[in-house]
Amino acid sequence: MKKIFTLIAIGIFAFAVKAQSNLEVHVGIGTSSHQENMVKAANHALYNAVMPRSENIGQTYITSGPIRLGIRSHENKHFILGAEFNYSNIEVINKNGSSDVIRVNFVNYTLMASTQYKYIDKPKFILYSGLDFGVSYATAKNQDTKVKANDLAAAYQANFMGFRYGSQLGVFGELGFGYNGFLSGGIFYRLD
């Protein structure tokens, strides 16, 4: 399934490069994502399938991502359309009263379409809000019992406020809620 998402992302990118002229590529990372919050709240769809059953377990969380890779096209003065792929990994380290340690990994591969409305569109500064929607493939594995589980779910991101600074090469930051995280940022490069 990981290969399918990678091929889809590459296909969308290749098509968009040929079909559009006002494109940018972006790479970023986010924090406090929907996936991470669901694991910490024990509400993740795969949580009960792979987590150890004990009341005296202390948990530590190690999070990677969401790490984002995407393309966007500046359609006109007010709209940006695009697509992006993101990856997140949440590792839960479970420790009970003894020295037993059980590790459980939750991995999400997410592919979303992106729509954004620009409030300010200057040559070096853009201020915008947006909504992304798509699908997320989740896997979870208990490293001790080797129990695995998979799930496919709808994915979303509501960006309340975002900015881009730079002309051909620049930085971006977003404040929102969903699969890209509460705070997200990175770099972009315009292809034209």
Side-chain angles (χ1 to χ4, degrees):
M1 193 60 143
K2 187 183 343 178
K3 290 179 184 178
I4 291 171
F5 278 111
T6 304
L7 289 174
I8 290 170
I10 291 170
I12 290 171
F13 179 75
F15 174 74
V17 167
K18 289 183 179 181
Q20 303 290 332
S21 61
N22 198 7
L23 283 179
E24 70 181 35
V25 176
H26 65 270
V27 177
I29 190 162
T31 62
S32 294
S33 66
H34 172 77
Q35 311 88 290
E36 179 184 350
N37 294 333
M38 295 302 278
V39 168
K40 288 181 177 179
N43 289 330
H44 193 280
L46 304 176
Y47 192 87
N48 290 329
V50 295
M51 289 301 285
R53 310 275 195 265
S54 178
E55 294 180 14
N56 298 323
I57 289 182
Q59 295 181 324
T60 305
Y61 304 92
I62 300 172
T63 304
S64 300
I67 299 167
R68 304 168 55 185
L69 173 63
I71 56 169
R72 293 199 172 137
S73 171
H74 294 258
E75 295 296 315
N76 57 37
K77 184 136 180 86
H78 292 291
F79 290 101
I80 303 172
L81 300 177
E84 77 174 39
F85 172 80
N86 81 37
Y87 164 85
S88 65
N89 184 357
I90 301 102
E91 181 178 31
V92 184
I93 302 170
N94 300 283
K95 294 181 183 178
N96 61 19
S98 66
S99 61
D100 292 337
V101 174
I102 300 170
R103 295 177 184 269
V104 179
N105 278 37
F106 294 86
V107 179
N108 283 74
Y109 304 95
T110 305
L111 186 61
M112 292 189 287
S114 175
T115 60
Q116 298 171 350
Y117 180 81
K118 298 186 268 186
Y119 301 106
I120 298 173
D121 186 7
K122 302 290 183 190
K124 286 195 171 190
F125 181 77
I126 296 173
L127 189 66
Y128 60 90
S129 293
L131 182 63
D132 299 357
F133 52 92
V135 65
S136 183
Y137 176 70
T139 65
K141 181 179 180 183
N142 184 314
Q143 301 296 336
D144 185 51
T145 63
K146 305 299 183 204
V147 172
K148 296 180 185 178
N150 302 314
D151 187 43
L152 194 62
Y156 64 91
Q157 175 72 23
N159 289 320
F160 307 120
M161 193 59 59
F163 77 90
R164 288 177 141 54
Y165 181 78
S167 53
Q168 187 170 16
L169 178 65
V171 296
F172 71 92
E174 296 173 347
L175 174 66
F177 178 76
Y179 278 68
N180 288 339
F182 177 69
L183 290 173
S184 184
I187 60 171
F188 70 86
Y189 178 75
R190 287 210 180 181
L191 299 174
D192 51 315

